[in-house]
Amino acid sequence: MLVGREQELGDLIAVLSARPAVAMIEGEAGVGKSRLAGELIAQPDLAGLRILTGYCQPLREPFPFGPVLEAVDGLRGYTHPFQRARLSPVTGMLRDLLPELSEHLPQSPAPTGDPQAERHRLFRAVREVLAAAGPALLLIEDLHWSDEGTRNLLSFLLSNPPSNLAVVLSYRREEVAGGVPLGRAYRPPPRAGSIVVRLRPLTLGHVRTLASCILGGAVPLDFATRLYERTAGLPFVIEETLRAVRSSAGGLPLDGAAARRLLENAEVPVLLREAMAERLASLSGDAIALAQAVAVLGTPATLEHLREVSGLGDERCRTALGAALDRGVLHEIDECVYGYRHALARQAVYATMAGYERRRLHVRVIDVLRRLDPPPLVRLADHSRQAGLTEDALRYGEAAADAAVQVGDIATATHLLQRLLNDPGLPAGDVDRLAIKLGEIAHTGLDQRDPSTTLKRLLDDPRLSAAARGEVRLFLGWMLIRQAEALDEGRAAIAKAVDELEDRPDLVARAIASLALPYLGTTPLARLHPWTQRLKVALKSVPEGELRMSLLANYLPSLVTVGDPGAVRVPGQASGLGAQRHLARLRCNLADSCVCTGRYEQARHLLRDGLHLAAQVGATFVTSTGQATQARLDWVLGHWEGLDERTLQLLEEYRDLLPVASELSLVLGWLATARGEWEQAESWLAGTGIAVPQESIIPVVLSAFAARARARLARGERELAVTDVERGLHVARTKGVWAWTGELVPVAVEALLESGRAEEARTLLAELERGLAGRHAPLAAAAVRMAGGQLAQAAGDPAAAHFEEARRLYEELPAPYYAALAAERLMLSGGSVEELAELGDTFAALGATYDAERCRHHLRTLGVSVRRGRRGYGDTLSPREQDVARLLATGRTNREIAGMLFLSPRTVETHVARILQKLGKHSRTELLK
């Protein structure tokens, strides 16, 4: 029965009834994701769809795509899965992977020899087969256990789903890295329907209803309350507990052990263990042995494997399986594949076994798994560990990590290596090898916080040799400089590693390249010069190859970011996977440097090529930094539509990576500032590192100071704005890089002039001009003309030429928002009313609603009536009412809205009344619900 999920089921049906459509069901273990999915696919509204189901397993092998291929393989259950004549030759890629469907598929195409091309052809083949099989519903369960290849395939499929396909994904959000189920931010295409259903535990009322249904009669409120408290409202735990209660003689045991005890842990509640123990007690010895064999196996298995692990003969095994199925201990997960319906149930049974018995069965499982081709290395490592076979666990675990790296599954590799390194009995030589391997792998991935904790611990471990210590410390330093408030610690680790790596000149060169990076922290550029010179010397003797490309990926962007006027030649290609990954990093790093200095067109081309190459070679960290740069570039170029949503998704995915998260927070802060959303702006800008510049990315920090000062000036908080610009200028002066002050200086001049400090503003402009001498920094160069106009205007001198030149320079970058700000200054110093009105429309088209309202306010002060169209809107909100409604939705007061839209509180009050009337609401509180 389905209780308490009626709304969610209805919402899913509504979305999936029209295709293409994507639905995501998220929730914690035991909350009922699979039950809801099962009810969904049984609904008459979806009866015309072919249901294709795949399951992700907790001990997945580093072999991508398995769950999706399992689902596609379900087509063999249909007499005519699809018409072969409708399939292109590329679908032959699936013949070897799905032999049961081979008679329906074309011949396999000739191999290309390129793994990336082969993967792309496989992805296309899956999409085409699903389209030919449609209308269909693809259900992938437990996505949190998926491998990276499966997530990539699903991302490809969902980016352009077949028009006759519905996709349903279920996952535990708390077990997904960054809370992003596909491993990267996903936004459905406009033509596809989509929904995310977040399942919560049942309420007390729903628990009581569910208990009444299961027990066949009303239950007392106090019993339901105790059941609710002890099961946390998780439907699965409730059902399992009540089945045990129902099977007990003597009716409802309200004072029984299962009703008294609290959940002991989140993974295997005591009630569930006791419920499973009671059900096991009703089974024969053979059935218990079989259930324990399944629990040790850990994943659903065939009857043949169950027979081998349990040690039962064929007939005894079949009889035992029938009894376990009848009692609901085991379930047929797929055709002739048996297991526990939920991981909690499996773990509960596992906990009933004595340690020696578990080990005996783990050894049997190992014997079974060794005979498979290819051997499942992850599972072999896990079973060897639990069997106490430490040497085998080490051998299989390391091999599994290596295999995961080969297919680009960095997260699995780092997890396996950390588990091996947590063994206190691991020999010193193995510690050295695995620690270095962990550092090499983890610093290229996204999950760096946990591996860095492991490496820190190992540096204090006496088993780690002096020879390996420097290398491990270097990898740790690289990971720390990417974490919030760990930059100084990371730089110190890298510097110390240089002294420890005298016999490894290649690693010393890479360490120096990191220490020479100019944008990290507030260390003056002059103090970095020795590192830069050592890097320059090293490059002269390093031949073409991976090492040289790695050094160039730091060196060339460093030149660009400080405004070096020399032309930068970007290598067009690289040989070998490692060199290609560094080439991708070089392009994306150069793009970021170009964004910092205002070379936007060059940044756009570099970023396009860099992200494309990063995706091809599986450079996940490079992809993350490139996506952050793309978000900032979109902000500057005025591509604001949907930018906040895209940036939020990226921030959720990359929250723990300082270079990425700080830049994404900056974009969100600027967007909020342009809209007049002051509190949101303050909140986002706080995430840029603005409070601790010494631990942050300085170009981002300087831009953040500019954004916050602009917001504070708009709110009339002049003193706070001056404080911000003074702090930002102090950082710039300490650093000695003026190429990064293109956004800060115009705001600083405005704040100083409003505070009556014109002389300081003139000194600042002169300082900027000197700092830019011999530098190529187009954004800062435009800022020189903008600041010159501000100073001239304040002094009563002609300023139009300055603002006109500033606008031209901004437009050439192009930077439309800053060009509009320069144009506004120009209009106010002598432009026409028509031009000022047009400028307001320009701001509005960008999405800079606060700036648009400021222009309209200027018009009103000039006595010009501002109208936004004469048509009647009836029950539809007018543009002005939409502006007010948007701010109402954030909880603003009338006075706050009036200040943000340059209206009187009385006018806002009138708009609010009309909004409530048109939307059929009776109060602001009701509007916010």
Side-chain angles (χ1 to χ4, degrees):
M1 71 294 299
L2 190 69
V3 174
R5 306 297 190 210
E6 295 79 5
Q7 180 64 52
E8 292 87 348
L9 181 61
D11 291 344
L12 286 167
I13 293 172
V15 170
L16 298 175
S17 294
R19 290 160 292 280
V22 178
M24 296 188 179
I25 305 174
E26 69 176 38
E28 62 182 299
V31 80
K33 302 181 294 298
S34 296
R35 170 60 58 83
L36 178 59
E39 290 285 341
L40 175 68
I41 61 179
Q43 293 300 306
D45 304 75
L46 306 180
L49 303 183
R50 289 178 169 180
I51 307 300
L52 308 175
T53 305
Y55 301 90
C56 305
Q57 303 296 344
L59 286 175
R60 71 181 190 277
E61 298 301 317
F63 176 69
F65 323 131
V68 178
L69 295 177
E70 176 189 6
V72 176
D73 187 54
L75 288 169
R76 62 191 169 102
Y78 295 90
T79 306
H80 301 291
F82 39 74
Q83 295 180 4
R84 181 170 176 174
R86 294 177 57 192
L87 301 178
S88 72
V90 76
T91 57
M93 292 290 295
L94 297 173
R95 283 183 69 91
D96 293 336
L97 295 171
L98 301 172
E100 294 85 355
L101 292 174
S102 59
E103 64 178 291
H104 303 286
L105 295 168
Q107 292 299 313
S108 302
T112 64
D114 182 349
Q116 297 298 326
E118 292 291 300
R119 186 178 77 160
H120 185 68
R121 291 205 299 180
L122 176 63
F123 285 13
R124 289 174 51 208
V126 170
R127 182 164 62 188
E128 186 172 334
V129 165
L130 288 172
L137 186 149
L138 175 65
L139 171 62
I140 303 296
E141 293 234 48
D142 297 320
L143 192 62
H144 51 277
W145 284 327
S146 66
D147 60 275
E148 196 163 352
T150 295
R151 294 193 294 270
N152 289 337
L153 173 52
L154 288 170
S155 295
F156 175 86
L157 182 63
L158 299 186
S159 67
N160 183 25
S163 59
N164 57 357
L165 181 68
V167 180
V168 179
L169 308 175
S170 73
Y171 58 93
R172 300 178 194 167
R173 182 180 177 84
E174 68 274 13
E175 293 188 23
V176 172
V180 184
L182 292 174
R184 66 192 65 183
Y186 168 68
R187 187 180 185 184
R191 66 186 182 86
S194 66
I195 186 173
V196 176
V197 173
R198 297 179 174 87
L199 296 184
R200 304 285 187 261
L202 298 180
T203 64
L204 173 58
H206 287 144
V207 169
R208 191 178 186 186
T209 301
L210 180 59
S212 299
C213 293
I214 293 174
L215 298 175
V219 299
L221 178 59
D222 59 342
F223 175 80
T225 301
R226 295 173 68 182
L227 181 65
Y228 173 72
E229 292 172 348
R230 286 157 174 77
T231 61
L234 295 175
F236 176 79
V237 182
I238 294 168
E239 292 177 18
E240 294 299 303
T241 302
L242 290 179
R243 284 196 173 93
V245 169
R246 185 176 57 180
S247 64
S248 301
L252 227 54
L254 299 182
D255 58 346
R260 289 196 309 265
R261 301 187 54 189
L262 295 171
L263 300 176
E264 289 184 352
N265 57 68
E267 216 169 40
V268 186
V270 173
L271 283 176
L272 179 57
R273 289 211 302 264
E274 293 185 347
M276 294 303 297
E278 290 182 19
R279 293 165 72 179
L280 285 174
S282 67
L283 297 176
S284 67
D286 282 356
I288 292 174
L290 185 70
Q292 291 175 337
V294 177
V296 171
L297 268 163
T299 57
T302 63
L303 182 63
E304 178 184 0
H305 287 169
L306 296 182
R307 185 177 63 244
E308 292 186 63
V309 175
S310 66
L312 300 173
D314 186 66
E315 188 60 35
R316 289 171 63 192
C317 187
R318 291 178 183 275
T319 302
L321 177 59
L325 291 172
D326 287 343
R327 295 298 297 160
V329 175
L330 296 179
H331 298 265
E332 187 171 9
I333 305 302
D334 201 352
E335 185 176 359
C336 297
V337 176
Y338 307 96
Y340 290 94
R341 188 171 57 176
H342 196 285
L344 294 176
R346 183 198 71 80
Q347 293 171 19
V349 174
Y350 188 86
T352 66
M353 303 170 63
Y356 71 88
E357 183 65 17
R358 295 178 194 164
R359 287 196 170 193
R360 184 178 67 84
L361 290 180
H362 280 298
V363 170
R364 286 186 180 177
V365 173
I366 292 169
D367 290 338
V368 171
L369 298 180
R370 279 173 174 164
R371 298 196 296 272
L372 299 180
D373 185 23
L377 297 173
V378 172
R379 295 177 64 193
L380 280 167
D382 185 71
H383 287 292
S384 296
R385 177 179 59 83
Q386 296 186 80
L389 305 175
T390 54
E391 291 185 3
D392 287 348
L394 173 60
R395 176 164 53 88
Y396 286 128
E398 187 171 5
D402 293 341
V405 171
Q406 289 298 315
V407 297
D409 193 351
I410 303 301
T412 294
T414 56
H415 170 73
L416 289 167
L417 291 172
Q418 286 182 92
R419 190 167 68 180
L420 293 174
L421 285 163
N422 285 336
D423 179 5
L426 191 67
D430 295 326
V431 171
D432 281 2
R433 184 183 70 259
L434 296 179
I436 291 172
K437 184 175 287 190
L438 173 63
E440 285 177 330
I441 295 170
H443 91 277
T444 67
L446 300 180
D447 180 14
Q448 301 192 356
R449 191 169 295 276
D450 286 345
S452 64
T453 301
T454 299
L455 294 185
K456 278 184 184 181
R457 176 178 56 79
L458 289 171
L459 286 172
D460 293 327
D461 192 321
R463 292 175 298 171
L464 189 69
S465 70
R469 196 168 299 277
E471 197 165 350
V472 171
R473 197 183 308 278
L474 177 59
F475 290 128
L476 172 62
W478 281 336
M479 287 188 277
L480 289 176
I481 63 175
R482 298 167 180 172
Q483 297 175 21
E485 299 189 22
L487 197 155
D488 276 350
E489 183 184 359
R491 287 179 58 86
I494 296 171
K496 187 172 182 178
V498 170
D499 297 331
E500 296 174 321
L501 291 167
E502 292 181 353
D503 59 339
R504 290 292 307 273
D506 56 330
L507 292 179
V508 169
R510 292 181 64 188
I512 290 171
S514 298
L515 292 170
L517 292 173
Y519 55 81
L520 296 177
T522 53
T523 304
L525 190 63
R527 283 177 52 188
L528 300 177
H529 185 68
W531 295 117
T532 305
Q533 289 303 110
R534 289 182 65 177
L535 175 58
K536 190 174 181 180
V537 171
L539 276 167
K540 292 179 179 179
S541 60
V542 176
E544 295 293 335
E546 181 177 348
L547 176 59
R548 182 174 182 82
M549 194 65 72
S550 169
L551 301 181
L552 289 175
N554 283 11
Y555 180 66
L556 295 181
S558 295
L559 295 179
V560 172
T561 198
V562 298
D564 190 294
V568 175
R569 289 191 173 183
V570 183
Q573 56 186 4
S575 300
L577 183 62
Q580 289 175 334
R581 286 176 173 169
H582 286 300
L583 177 57
R585 186 165 68 91
L586 169 58
R587 290 173 177 171
C588 289
N589 285 356
L590 276 172
D592 193 65
S593 296
C594 288
V595 170
C596 289
T597 54
R599 298 161 68 167
Y600 301 132
E601 280 300 318
Q602 191 174 359
R604 188 168 60 84
H605 294 294
L606 286 165
L607 199 55
R608 179 197 61 203
D609 296 342
L611 283 172
H612 178 71
L613 181 57
Q616 284 187 318
V617 299
T620 53
F621 179 75
V622 175
T623 297
S624 72
T625 60
Q627 288 177 320
T629 300
Q630 183 67 67
R632 189 172 177 189
L633 184 59
D634 285 344
W635 147 256
V636 175
L637 296 179
H639 303 159
W640 295 4
E641 186 175 355
L643 178 58
D644 51 352
E645 183 179 345
R646 299 195 303 273
T647 306
L648 277 169
Q649 290 175 336
L650 291 172
L651 184 59
E652 186 174 5
E653 182 176 357
Y654 302 128
R655 190 173 298 278
D656 289 334
L657 296 175
L658 170 66
V660 181
S662 59
E663 193 157 28
L664 295 172
S665 296
L666 176 67
V667 172
L668 291 168
W670 269 116
L671 286 170
T673 299
R675 294 169 179 161
E677 298 168 351
W678 312 127
E679 286 81 6
Q680 289 94 325
E682 289 268 356
S683 176
W684 290 124
L685 294 172
T688 62
I690 199 170
V692 283
Q694 69 276 11
E695 295 278 357
S696 304
I697 310 299
I698 298 306
V700 170
V701 167
L702 295 179
S703 181
F705 274 124
R708 196 164 72 176
R710 181 174 294 281
R712 287 175 168 176
L713 282 174
R715 298 176 72 175
E717 300 171 344
R718 184 185 305 160
E719 293 182 2
L720 290 176
V722 170
T723 299
D724 273 337
V725 299
E726 287 179 336
R727 289 185 60 201
L729 292 172
H730 174 72
V731 171
R733 287 167 178 142
T734 300
K735 197 70 187 178
V737 182
W738 288 92
W740 302 334
T741 62
E743 292 167 305
L744 179 61
V745 167
V747 183
V749 168
E750 182 179 354
L752 291 172
L753 289 174
E754 286 195 15
S755 300
R757 298 160 63 175
E759 187 58 36
E760 290 181 53
R762 282 190 288 271
T763 301
L764 171 59
L765 178 56
E767 195 174 5
L768 174 61
E769 291 175 321
R770 288 193 302 272
L772 293 178
R775 299 289 178 181
H776 183 50
L779 181 60
V784 169
R785 300 313 303 265
M786 184 72 166
Q790 291 169 293
L791 286 167
Q793 192 175 56
D797 297 330
H802 291 280
F803 291 132
E804 180 61 50
E805 179 65 7
R807 179 173 68 172
R808 184 187 67 79
L809 292 173
Y810 284 130
E811 287 176 344
E812 287 179 355
L813 292 178
Y817 179 62
Y818 295 123
L821 291 175
E824 181 183 5
R825 291 277 186 173
L826 180 62
M827 297 301 102
L828 295 176
S829 63
S832 68
V833 167
E834 290 76 12
E835 289 173 318
L836 189 56
E838 185 178 339
L839 184 61
D841 293 338
T842 299
F843 277 124
L846 279 172
T849 51
Y850 176 79
D851 299 281
E853 291 302 330
R854 188 179 58 248
C855 287
R856 293 168 184 145
H857 175 68
H858 290 321
L859 289 171
R860 286 192 290 269
T861 61
L862 294 173
V864 177
S865 177
V866 180
R867 297 184 181 277
R868 294 199 269 183
R870 296 180 176 275
R871 71 178 182 87
Y873 292 95
D875 291 333
T876 303
L877 297 182
S878 70
R880 170 61 76 198
E881 289 165 349
Q882 291 176 21
D883 293 340
V884 174
R886 176 176 55 81
L887 295 173
L888 273 176
T890 66
R892 308 283 181 175
T893 66
N894 286 359
R895 187 167 295 279
E896 288 173 330
I897 295 171
M900 297 170 72
L901 298 181
F902 297 94
L903 300 172
S904 71
R906 186 65 177 269
T907 301
V908 172
E909 185 179 330
T910 301
H911 284 308
V912 170
R914 289 175 179 168
I915 291 167
L916 294 176
Q917 180 181 8
K918 289 183 177 182
L919 297 181
K921 306 294 182 182
H922 298 93
S923 68
R924 299 166 72 104
T925 303
E926 188 178 349
L927 183 65
L928 291 172
K929 289 183 179 180

